[in-house]
Amino acid sequence: MNAKLCGRHSAAFPDNSSAKETHPALSGDRHGKMPDHEDNLFPPREDFREVHYLTEEKVYEILSICEGKKDYSPLIRVIGRIFSSADALVQSFRKDKEQHPNTKEQRKTHQAKDEDKDEDDKERTTAMEQESEESEASASMEGATGSTENRLGPVEVSVDIEAVRRVYDRLLSNEKIESAFLNALVYLTPNVELDLTYLDVYDTNPDYLNIFIIVMENSSLHSPEYLEMAMPLFCKCMSKLPLPALAKLTRLWSQYSVEHIRRMMETFQQLITYTVISNEYDSDSLVNDDECVVAAAKCLKLVFYANVLGGDLDTGHNEEEEPASESSELTLQELLGEERSNKKGPRVDPLEKELGVRTLDCRRPLIPFEEFVNEPLNDVLEMDKDFTFFKVDSESKFSFQSCPFVLNACTKSLGLYYDNRISMYSERRITALYSLVQGQQLNPYLRLKVRRDHIIDDALVRLEMISMENPADLRKQLFVEFEGEQGVDEGGVSKEFFQLVLEEMFNPDIGMFTYDESTKLFWYNPSSLENEAQFTLIGIVLGLAIYNNCILDVHFPMVVYRKLMGKKGTYLDLADSHPVLYQSLKELLDYEGDVEEDMMITFQISQTDLFGEPITYDLKENGDKIPVTADNRKEFVSLYGDYILNKSVERQFKAFRRGFQMVTNESPLKCLFRPEEVELLICGSRNLDFQALEETTEYDGGYSKDCRIIKDFWETVHSFGEEDKRLFLQFTTGTDRAPVGGLGKLKMIIAKNGPDTDRLPTSHTCFNALLLPEYDSKEKLKERLLKAITYAKGFGML
């Protein structure tokens, strides 16, 4: 099925040689073309059999003849023959300076090289005649290829893309001609796949990339006919391109307009969606094994990085990475003679490395990142199996976590959850092993016993000891116990612990952070008197919250999450963290008058410390003597932003990040999530959709959604104001935020807790369970519920 079709014997068509000589612009090969079954319907001069590659002018010439005769069969056959042949398509639509030579000798040279590929199918006399010219042709082609590559640079190609677009626009309006492109692509792809699989075609001829450039300019690729027949095969071919070819294609596409990039993105997205909804997947038949979906996702990756490269890039301003603190103890994998696969941190995508750009480097892509998420794929993805492929079988199995842009935050958080749980079980096993081998006391969990009114002191001392002795213990499952309280931690006590620590740490009276009333956000206090251990503790708490799947009420500007992911803050980040300062600096940049005379500012700035005393800082040496002018104002703005967001809080942030990385350093957090998604992971969603919560809530103990008390309950909750709704969530789940994916992902349980009584409702925050007595009236229900959620502190045994 995959064998190339044989070319016709040249002896069968004695007129071919004379035709080539009388038409000097028509040269090429007959390799791999579709067979013509209607050759005798047209006279030889109008059959165009001697056309072996296409130019824009030649297409229009043939089209003109066909329009005159009102018969498009000759053009359809030419398109079918050229677009089904890899060699012919590579030579087509070249830029003027790249067109074929016109002398008879040079034509013979190129013809010899092309026809040598199917030499065994030629007559012996023809083969002997070509052999005399073979070496000369090879030298000529190799020399031309090398010089072309060096001259054009990394993103230039020999194909005339604008000419290809004009030809498609002209021809695709005709339905009969459009079907010729489709049929030709079906014939083309098996041969191309064989070339890429078994022959180093791109290494010997970089112009082989022209095939993919030309085909992707077809604006009908998203139509059902292409999605069903041609595109699955074509995507498989493209995914087999070598890494340098993929990178070159990505760089080329990054120069396209937004409309063209969006069209390609939608084409691959529709192919994934079409394939997913047309098939049924289960644990035995995974979407990861669907070659079409996998190939389309790999092709979509090229468009994604083209979207990144074409956007607003900031490849500089990277935070200096601190070496991870190594545990003095051996890991379980090392004891068993295995090397930890992710010890050196998150893996780097090969294409990302080849391009020299990260998703994090793009401040504003051409197309919003959210449009690359494919929801039907997320719905059918078995994340536990996909995670196994990602961590263990990445060489033999495809994991969609290698294309994280196609996954939504909810799916990725599930992958992170599996990673965290496996790390917890790993640490638990190593502890059990040490207790057996060395006689150590078995302590498989990270246990914190704290006093409610001394929570910072107790937590700080315990966590600091752990981080100094063995940071790996931080990756054990967390269990918190409040001294003097009976609550057993199945998740709910930890949630309250996190919340109390943060309330204490972010208290403005302590002075670790400053609070902006206009933005409702916190920022590091540059003149804080607290030691670094306090900031390290907050970093550990944030890491532990992610690690233990807890949501925190943290109010940081986005620049904090960008810095945690490895990017320094710049002037543009001030818009979120210091909006008033940002507006002032923006007005300075836009000012059209005399900056030096009118503004009268220098490279020395002033701030107020914790006690209200002014502090001056020189952005440059002798800054007080350097006036800001129209020529150096950009430098002033850049240095100002760098000082506010980086230098002034360097001590505090480094300690904060150190604590965060103690917990998350070996996590796939960096390679899966963008800063916006990390914020969502830590803080949850601020959008509270109680209608979605009602639809997903389950009932127990005799209650159902049709019970009177349940109907009264939801009417009461929906009537609450925003503040009371948050208190209700805090009371029932331990946090007033929605998880990643919204309240519909919460899975709350309402259970019957006896008949009518004066007792208040109670909750198991560990399991998101509300124990609700069957009150005899709606008014009593509302009164009891409001009292319960308003005075909800502490834990007890029921």
Side-chain angles (χ1 to χ4, degrees):
M1 287 175 63
N2 292 332
K4 294 185 177 182
L5 300 178
C6 298
R8 297 179 183 275
H9 292 290
S10 58
F13 296 94
D15 293 333
N16 274 3
S17 58
S18 61
K20 289 175 186 170
E21 293 177 11
T22 54
H23 295 277
L26 307 178
S27 63
D29 66 80
R30 299 185 297 277
H31 181 66
K33 65 182 181 180
M34 289 196 300
D36 298 330
H37 301 294
E38 304 178 31
D39 291 346
N40 297 323
L41 295 179
F42 294 90
R45 61 188 177 84
E46 295 179 358
D47 201 15
F48 308 108
R49 270 202 303 268
E50 56 284 331
V51 176
H52 297 295
Y53 71 93
L54 287 175
T55 64
E56 184 180 12
E57 294 75 17
K58 179 54 63 179
V59 171
Y60 294 157
E61 177 188 330
I62 301 174
L63 180 61
S64 177
I65 295 172
C66 292
E67 287 176 343
K69 291 183 170 291
K70 297 188 182 326
D71 187 348
Y72 294 94
S73 300
L75 178 59
I76 290 173
R77 284 201 298 275
V78 170
I79 289 173
R81 183 154 42 79
I82 302 299
F83 276 76
S84 64
S85 166
D87 300 318
L89 204 53
V90 166
Q91 303 297 339
S92 296
F93 303 106
R94 295 292 189 96
K95 295 175 181 176
D96 291 340
K97 59 185 177 182
E98 296 288 336
Q99 291 298 344
H100 287 268
N102 290 329
T103 66
K104 181 177 177 180
E105 293 76 11
Q106 287 172 314
R107 287 202 315 278
K108 286 185 178 179
T109 299
H110 284 269
Q111 180 183 352
K113 176 175 170 56
D114 294 330
E115 292 188 349
D116 182 67
K117 291 179 183 177
D118 54 353
E119 184 175 272
D120 293 338
D121 298 325
K122 304 290 184 180
E123 292 185 351
R124 184 172 298 278
T125 55
T126 306
M128 292 174 64
E129 184 181 337
Q130 303 301 338
E131 283 176 356
S132 63
E133 302 173 16
E134 182 179 351
S135 60
E136 182 185 348
S138 299
S140 171
M141 288 297 286
E142 288 172 6
T145 299
S147 62
T148 297
E149 183 71 6
N150 293 335
R151 183 175 69 254
L152 294 179
V155 292
E156 285 288 344
V157 288
S158 58
V159 65
D160 189 341
I161 297 173
E162 291 301 324
V164 174
R165 289 174 180 171
R166 290 191 295 267
V167 167
Y168 274 127
D169 289 342
R170 185 90 177 268
L171 298 184
L172 287 177
S173 57
N174 187 310
E175 291 183 7
K176 294 181 179 178
I177 298 176
E178 183 180 8
S179 63
F181 287 113
L182 171 62
N183 295 330
L185 187 56
V186 174
Y187 273 86
L188 171 72
T189 45
N191 293 336
V192 173
E193 185 178 357
L194 284 172
D195 284 346
L196 291 169
T197 305
Y198 300 109
L199 305 173
D200 296 327
V201 285
Y202 179 76
D203 294 335
T204 56
N205 182 15
D207 286 339
Y208 202 82
L209 203 61
N210 291 3
I211 295 172
F212 299 93
I213 297 170
I214 292 172
V215 171
M216 284 307 299
E217 289 303 324
N218 186 336
S219 58
S220 297
L221 293 179
H222 64 277
S223 63
E225 296 80 13
Y226 279 93
L227 296 180
E228 185 175 358
M229 297 171 60
M231 284 305 292
L233 298 171
F234 180 72
C235 287
K236 278 182 64 179
C237 291
M238 188 184 295
S239 64
K240 291 182 182 295
L241 281 168
L243 186 60
L246 295 174
K248 183 173 181 179
L249 202 55
T250 303
R251 291 191 187 100
L252 174 70
W253 287 349
S254 71
Q255 297 177 338
Y256 285 11
S257 67
V258 178
E259 292 73 21
H260 283 94
I261 295 178
R262 185 182 296 278
R263 177 180 59 77
M264 291 189 290
M265 182 267 291
E266 290 174 349
T267 297
F268 294 127
Q269 284 280 42
Q270 287 180 9
L271 177 58
I272 294 173
T273 302
Y274 175 82
T275 309
V276 165
I277 64 177
S278 301
N279 295 282
E280 292 186 3
Y281 303 100
D282 53 35
S283 57
D284 297 322
S285 176
L286 298 172
V287 68
N288 302 69
D289 298 325
D290 192 315
E291 290 184 345
C292 176
V293 177
V294 169
K298 290 179 178 178
C299 294
L300 185 62
K301 181 188 286 189
L302 307 188
V303 184
F304 175 80
Y305 278 108
N307 180 52
V308 169
L309 283 172
D312 293 341
L313 282 181
D314 175 18
T315 53
H317 301 102
N318 296 316
E319 290 278 3
E320 295 180 5
E321 292 290 336
E322 293 184 14
S325 54
E326 293 290 337
S327 169
S328 59
E329 299 181 10
L330 291 174
T331 64
L332 177 64
Q333 289 87 344
E334 290 165 338
L335 281 172
L336 298 177
E338 302 172 0
E339 184 179 356
R340 184 178 294 192
S341 60
N342 58 351
K343 189 170 184 177
K344 295 182 180 178
R347 66 188 72 187
V348 178
D349 188 274
L351 181 60
E352 190 175 273
K353 186 176 181 180
E354 182 77 13
L355 293 170
V357 67
R358 301 173 298 170
T359 305
L360 185 64
D361 295 331
C362 186
R363 285 191 165 273
R364 189 174 60 192
L366 295 174
I367 301 171
F369 289 130
E370 292 75 16
E371 294 191 30
F372 283 85
V373 175
N374 189 288
E375 293 296 346
L377 174 62
N378 281 267
D379 292 339
V380 300
L381 187 60
E382 300 272 353
M383 204 57 196
D384 53 342
K385 303 281 185 17
D386 189 87
F387 173 78
T388 304
F389 299 155
F390 181 66
K391 297 291 284 189
V392 182
D393 300 326
S394 58
E395 296 298 325
S396 58
K397 290 282 191 177
F398 178 81
S399 166
F400 286 96
Q401 290 184 74
S402 63
C403 297
F405 54 85
V406 83
L407 305 177
N408 58 35
C410 187
T411 303
K412 287 189 280 192
S413 67
L414 191 57
L416 188 66
Y417 171 79
Y418 287 129
D419 185 81
N420 295 340
R421 288 292 161 180
I422 287 175
S423 295
M424 290 177 186
Y425 297 150
S426 176
E427 296 299 336
R428 195 179 301 174
R429 287 196 299 270
I430 190 69
T431 303
L433 190 59
Y434 267 109
S435 67
L436 291 173
V437 175
Q438 298 183 355
Q440 294 181 356
Q441 183 180 357
L442 183 62
N443 187 19
Y445 302 105
L446 172 60
R447 294 188 180 275
L448 295 179
K449 186 172 184 179
V450 295
R451 295 166 293 174
R452 188 175 285 272
D453 48 357
H454 295 83
I455 191 165
I456 295 296
D457 296 335
D458 294 350
L460 185 60
V461 169
R462 180 76 178 114
L463 291 174
E464 195 169 15
M465 286 176 59
I466 292 171
S467 62
M468 290 174 63
E469 293 175 1
N470 185 18
D473 284 352
L474 293 172
R475 290 189 284 274
K476 293 178 179 177
Q477 188 171 353
L478 177 66
F479 277 91
V480 177
E481 179 184 347
F482 284 105
E483 194 172 275
E485 298 183 20
Q486 298 172 305
V488 177
D489 190 6
E490 290 289 341
V493 181
S494 296
K495 292 177 186 177
E496 174 134 350
F497 164 75
F498 286 132
Q499 205 59 45
L500 292 174
V501 167
L502 291 174
E503 283 179 10
E504 189 77 19
M505 288 288 200
F506 284 95
N507 187 337
D509 295 338
I510 292 182
M512 292 179 64
F513 295 89
T514 59
Y515 182 69
D516 190 324
E517 288 288 349
S518 61
T519 61
K520 309 294 184 188
L521 298 173
F522 288 93
W523 183 249
Y524 305 93
N525 187 348
S527 53
S528 171
L529 300 178
E530 299 294 331
N531 59 29
E532 293 183 9
Q534 303 273 35
F535 290 97
T536 302
L537 173 61
I538 296 187
I540 291 175
V541 166
L542 256 65
L544 286 174
I546 291 178
Y547 198 65
N548 290 273
N549 209 31
C550 290
I551 296 171
L552 304 181
D553 185 19
V554 179
H555 303 272
F556 279 134
M558 185 55 62
V559 64
V560 171
Y561 301 103
R562 283 180 59 81
K563 284 168 72 69
L564 279 176
M565 300 293 276
K567 297 296 289 187
K568 286 185 177 180
T570 66
Y571 148 72
L572 295 173
D573 293 305
L574 291 171
D576 189 26
S577 60
H578 300 75
V580 177
L581 175 59
Y582 170 78
Q583 191 60 37
S584 300
L585 295 176
K586 188 173 184 298
E587 289 174 1
L588 171 62
L589 291 175
D590 297 338
Y591 189 67
E592 296 180 357
D594 189 327
V595 175
E596 184 176 357
E597 290 294 327
D598 298 346
M599 299 288 188
M600 297 182 67
I601 52 180
T602 66
F603 274 76
Q604 185 181 75
I605 60 174
S606 176
Q607 279 189 306
T608 305
D609 68 5
L610 192 62
F611 304 103
E613 297 294 325
I615 301 174
T616 58
Y617 177 80
D618 287 348
L619 298 176
K620 294 175 71 173
E621 190 174 352
N622 298 321
D624 58 329
K625 299 175 182 176
I626 305 175
V628 176
T629 65
D631 295 330
N632 64 15
R633 58 183 170 182
K634 285 187 178 179
E635 181 187 12
F636 172 79
V637 168
S638 176
L639 291 173
Y640 204 145
D642 182 51
Y643 173 74
I644 294 294
L645 298 177
N646 303 312
K647 291 182 177 178
S648 66
V649 295
E650 185 174 11
R651 176 181 65 87
Q652 294 88 335
F653 178 76
K654 277 190 173 180
F656 173 77
R657 186 179 62 179
R658 191 183 309 121
F660 184 77
Q661 290 184 339
M662 282 180 187
V663 187
T664 64
N665 192 52
E666 293 183 0
S667 162
L669 185 74
K670 278 190 176 182
C671 64
L672 290 181
F673 293 87
R674 303 192 312 275
E676 301 84 5
E677 294 171 324
V678 174
E679 181 190 31
L680 189 63
L681 205 61
I682 295 174
C683 306
S685 173
R686 292 186 174 92
N687 182 28
L688 302 181
D689 184 0
F690 272 78
Q691 197 63 45
L693 179 62
E694 180 180 355
E695 292 172 2
T696 57
T697 295
E698 298 176 359
Y699 303 95
D700 196 12
Y703 281 160
S704 71
K705 65 178 181 179
D706 298 320
C707 292
R708 176 197 60 81
I709 181 74
I710 296 301
K711 290 181 179 179
D712 289 346
F713 169 80
W714 285 115
E715 287 177 9
T716 301
V717 170
H718 288 312
S719 68
F720 283 170
E722 190 72 18
E723 185 61 31
D724 285 340
K725 284 182 177 179
R726 292 193 179 280
L727 286 174
F728 170 75
L729 274 183
Q730 180 77 45
F731 173 74
T732 311
T733 69
T735 176
D736 64 352
R737 301 291 188 92
V740 178
L743 286 179
K745 303 290 184 182
L746 197 57
K747 304 297 182 189
M748 189 175 79
I749 300 171
I750 300 179
K752 187 173 181 178
N753 193 24
D756 180 42
T757 178
D758 288 335
R759 292 176 59 193
L760 297 174
T762 51
S763 66
H764 294 303
T765 55
C766 310
F767 308 105
N768 302 328
L770 176 68
L771 306 181
L772 186 68
E774 192 173 8
Y775 298 115
D776 58 5
S777 70
K778 184 177 178 181
E779 292 74 20
K780 186 175 183 179
L781 166 66
K782 184 174 183 178
E783 184 266 331
R784 297 278 89 186
L785 185 59
L786 279 174
K787 185 167 286 187
I789 65 177
T790 306
Y791 304 100
K793 289 285 183 183
F795 291 88
M797 298 296 287
L798 297 175

